[in-house]
Amino acid sequence: MQLKRYFQIVLAHRIWVLLVFVAVTALSAWSSVGVPFSTTLQKLFFGDSPEFAEYQERARTFANDDIFIVALETDEPLSDENLSRLAVAVDLVEAHPEVARVDSILGVQSIAGEDGALVVSDLVSDDSNVPRAEWSREPGVEGLLVADDGSSLACIVELSVDANRSGEVIPITVREVLSSFEEAGFSAAQIRRAGFPPLVAELTSLVYQAIQQLFPITVLVLLLVVWGLFHRLTPAIVASVVGLLSVVWTLGFASLLDDEFNLFTGIVPAVIMVVTISDVVHLWSAYHNEIRSGRTPQDALLESATDVGMACLLTSATTFVGFVSLSLIPTPVFQQLGLVLGFGVAISLLIAMTLVPIVLSYMRPPSVEMLDRPTLGGRLLDTILAVVTRCSMGSPRVVVGCFGLALVAIAFGLARVTIDTQFAERLSENNGLRQDQDYVERHFAGTQVLDVYVDVPEAEGLLDEAFFARLQDFQTKIEALPQTDKVWSIVDLVEMLHGALDGDGSLPSVDGALSQYLLLFEMSGGEDLDRMVDFERKTTRMMVRTQGLGVRAAYDYGQTIEQVGAQ
């Protein structure tokens, strides 16, 4: 009775209701039109997570693992001409506001000992003690900055630490970085890119393209379905208008929750259109059924809206609960998406149950003869329902048995499913980025970086000889893991220094020798020590390179490294 009273009030004040709808629609459109699209990892997944804040602080202190690789496929990669081009490209890229630094063979230092003294010099220089033919085999170069087969150069582009960097900025940054290499003289055909930022750029582009195509296709298909059911243009037009109003109101609500839209917001319009048009179809067809039964237009409106309105209310309530339950997931993007979709379902029902009766009240009711004319959609629907009814009622045990067999097959299939997300494999084999990543993974160490940090409580604790020996053992065990390609850390530097000074064994055995090695390295012009160990020598960073793992596989890999470290 309460629902019937609502429809009576709506129909009695049609003009005022329409004016209110116009005002709310205008406000919603005004609040959502200027909202920018910005997809940031922090807002999507981490929010105020203390672990993410700690990660950012470590990245600022040492180095950011938000990197990508630019490989340059060229003949004689270490020729003077290519190295000159590389120098120009590195200067251009490092001038980009989103780039923190670029690592290339030009910045590699060689370490040698002469008459008991340590000599640190640029590998690519006139003062280098290493012959050019051996540059590609130097530690920190082979497989990292020069291809294993000597066919390509590579640059590691490190982005600045910025948790609020929009995912929409990354494609622009990657494109401008690649353009810098072209400007330096490398052709587009020579340039290969790999790593997470180019992957984000490619996926962002593809997702926006899909969203832009999905919404109009969804609307077109739904309108064709509505026309097929009624063979009249009016229900299709009304359904589309009601759907668009629901989308505008929902986006207006989303803009109140957040001053930026993201990729996930882009799927909302298509979902809301589906929900809204189904409500319109239910109400419209119920009105026709009441007209067929001989009711007056006024009574047909109230009865159809009341009966079917209650059914729509109950089904929308379950859909609402389903979407809002997403808000229970402790991840910001799903919490916001659940609220937005839940609101959209509720508001689409309200708009449909308000506007459809008003529109029908202004229209001349259809004749029973016209309603009884068969339609293509109606005939198809009747045929499907007749077949389903005949099978279910005629052979119920067979039907139940078939469903049981299907359930067994599905359960067997689910038991074999491995849930993971390996983004690169989502791309077509003909996709340019997929081909570039395959090339880089064939010629260089892994394109995925995992930073491993080891902390000790006391200052200079990392340089205790016994502890450093365990650190060396830890790195050896990481390198032995099947997922590992290469590891680079303070251990490698100390081993190089020890070897250059003609030390016996892989580590110095004299107390305080490690501190003296590092001091001697810095006094000799050694650089980038701060990217491996902090000033107090309490924290060290290991850069682990691996081939592209799925999200869960990468997590499991990290857990395995933690277990090895604990041992």
Side-chain angles (χ1 to χ4, degrees):
M1 293 299 294
Q2 295 297 327
L3 200 56
K4 187 172 185 178
R5 180 61 182 157
Y6 170 78
F7 290 119
Q8 289 173 336
I9 293 174
V10 166
L11 293 174
H13 303 86
R14 295 177 298 182
I15 300 299
W16 287 108
V17 171
L18 291 175
L19 290 176
V20 169
F21 270 57
V22 169
V24 174
T25 302
L27 278 174
S28 299
W30 176 78
S31 65
S32 59
V33 163
V35 177
F37 269 85
S38 179
T39 306
T40 64
L41 286 176
Q42 181 171 14
K43 291 182 71 171
L44 284 182
F45 300 110
F46 303 115
D48 298 325
S49 165
E51 290 86 356
F52 184 65
E54 181 185 0
Y55 154 79
Q56 288 180 283
E57 187 58 36
R58 288 190 186 274
R60 292 189 187 96
T61 303
F62 291 91
N64 192 8
D65 65 355
D66 199 1
I67 67 172
F68 66 99
I69 298 168
V70 179
L72 304 167
E73 185 180 6
T74 175
D75 296 330
E76 299 182 7
L78 298 180
S79 66
D80 289 336
E81 181 183 5
N82 282 323
L83 293 176
S84 297
R85 291 176 180 172
L86 182 63
V88 174
V90 169
D91 289 341
L92 290 173
V93 175
E94 287 187 328
H96 195 285
E98 296 291 336
V99 175
R101 63 177 282 156
V102 179
D103 289 320
S104 71
I105 193 172
L106 301 176
V108 174
Q109 293 182 313
S110 65
I111 299 174
E114 292 183 3
D115 300 326
L118 186 69
V119 178
V120 180
S121 61
D122 290 336
L123 179 66
V124 182
S125 69
D126 296 334
D127 300 329
S128 176
N129 295 317
V130 182
R132 182 178 300 221
E134 298 179 12
W135 286 356
S136 61
R137 293 190 292 273
E138 279 289 287
V141 175
E142 185 178 13
L144 294 172
L145 301 175
V146 177
D148 293 328
D149 60 1
S151 63
S152 308
L153 290 170
C155 293
I156 302 174
V157 180
E158 179 185 325
L159 301 184
S160 58
V161 179
D162 183 3
N164 295 315
R165 181 185 292 112
S166 167
E168 287 70 23
V169 170
I170 293 178
I172 299 173
T173 301
V174 172
R175 187 165 57 249
E176 291 175 347
V177 166
L178 299 181
S179 296
S180 296
F181 282 91
E182 291 187 49
E183 187 177 342
F186 295 100
S187 68
Q190 292 178 296
I191 301 172
R192 309 275 192 161
R193 76 277 195 209
F196 194 64
L199 188 57
V200 170
E202 186 72 12
L203 291 175
T204 301
S205 174
L206 292 175
V207 169
Y208 275 125
Q209 181 181 347
I211 289 174
Q212 291 168 356
Q213 295 173 352
L214 178 64
F215 182 66
I217 290 174
T218 301
V219 173
L220 179 61
V221 170
L222 290 173
L223 294 184
L224 289 175
V225 170
V226 174
W227 180 85
L229 290 173
F230 297 102
H231 272 203
R232 295 183 66 190
L233 195 58
T234 305
I237 295 175
V238 173
S240 61
V241 170
V242 173
L244 289 174
L245 289 179
S246 301
V247 169
V248 172
W249 286 32
T250 303
L251 293 180
F253 174 74
S255 69
L256 296 178
L257 293 180
D258 195 345
D259 57 0
E260 294 175 335
F261 290 155
N262 56 60
L263 282 176
F264 289 87
T265 312
I267 69 173
V268 169
V271 175
I272 298 304
M273 285 295 294
V274 172
V275 173
T276 305
I277 290 180
S278 66
D279 289 337
V280 173
V281 169
H282 288 151
L283 292 167
W284 205 280
S285 59
Y287 173 71
H288 283 182
N289 288 335
E290 295 295 335
I291 292 293
R292 282 195 188 93
S293 66
R295 294 185 185 273
T296 64
Q298 182 72 13
D299 290 340
L301 268 177
L302 292 176
E303 292 300 324
S304 62
T306 302
D307 294 341
V308 178
M310 180 57 69
C312 290
L313 180 62
L314 294 175
T315 55
S316 294
T318 58
T319 308
F320 172 84
V321 171
F323 281 136
V324 172
S325 65
L326 291 174
S327 302
L328 301 177
I329 300 175
T331 304
V333 62
F334 294 114
Q335 293 173 342
Q336 180 179 329
L337 184 64
L339 291 175
V340 171
L341 288 176
F343 175 87
V345 169
I347 210 65
S348 63
L349 177 65
L350 175 66
I351 295 176
M353 292 176 63
T354 303
L355 288 187
V356 171
I358 290 177
V359 171
L360 290 173
S361 70
Y362 279 111
M363 293 177 57
R364 186 170 62 182
S367 64
V368 176
E369 292 77 13
M370 186 185 70
L371 294 178
D372 287 337
R373 293 175 189 166
T375 64
L376 177 62
R379 288 197 300 269
L380 180 60
L381 188 60
D382 289 342
T383 301
I384 294 173
L385 291 176
V387 172
V388 171
T389 303
R390 187 163 56 251
C391 292
S392 299
M393 301 301 291
S395 306
R397 293 182 180 179
V398 174
V399 172
V400 172
C402 290
F403 272 92
L405 291 175
L407 185 59
V408 171
I410 290 170
F412 176 75
L414 288 175
R416 302 176 60 192
V417 168
T418 300
I419 300 175
D420 207 340
T421 302
Q422 197 160 352
F423 294 106
E425 292 188 357
R426 303 293 182 185
L427 301 175
S428 165
E429 293 183 357
N430 297 324
N431 181 276
L433 177 61
R434 175 76 177 269
Q435 295 175 345
D436 285 356
Q437 295 235 137
D438 291 343
Y439 175 87
V440 174
E441 289 183 353
R442 286 195 308 270
H443 292 83
F444 295 90
T447 59
Q448 193 168 343
V449 176
L450 181 70
D451 280 347
V452 178
Y453 292 93
V454 179
D455 299 319
V456 293
E458 66 279 352
E460 300 293 323
L462 286 172
L463 303 183
D464 174 78
E465 282 73 20
F467 182 85
F468 203 86
R470 299 209 310 273
L471 189 66
Q472 184 187 40
D473 184 46
F474 179 38
Q475 176 165 329
T476 301
K477 287 183 167 62
I478 294 177
E479 290 172 334
L481 294 174
Q483 302 96 324
T484 305
D485 274 0
K486 285 185 180 294
V487 182
W488 181 256
S489 75
I490 189 71
V491 171
D492 299 281
L493 177 61
V494 167
E495 290 177 348
M496 291 169 62
L497 294 171
H498 189 56
L501 296 172
D502 298 323
D504 295 327
S506 60
L507 287 176
S509 57
V510 180
D511 290 342
L514 292 173
S515 296
Q516 295 175 20
Y517 274 3
L518 298 187
L519 178 61
L520 184 60
F521 172 71
E522 290 188 302
M523 292 178 61
S524 302
E527 299 175 351
D528 293 337
L529 186 60
D530 58 344
R531 294 169 65 82
M532 293 186 244
V533 63
D534 68 344
F535 180 75
E536 294 182 311
R537 310 311 190 227
K538 296 172 63 175
T539 302
T540 186
R541 165 182 174 255
M542 294 178 168
M543 187 179 74
V544 181
R545 294 275 289 269
T546 180
Q547 299 292 358
L549 300 175
V551 174
R552 291 187 63 178
Y555 172 79
D556 292 339
Y557 179 44
Q559 294 295 103
T560 301
I561 291 176
E562 283 194 21
Q563 293 169 9
V564 171
Q567 293 168 6

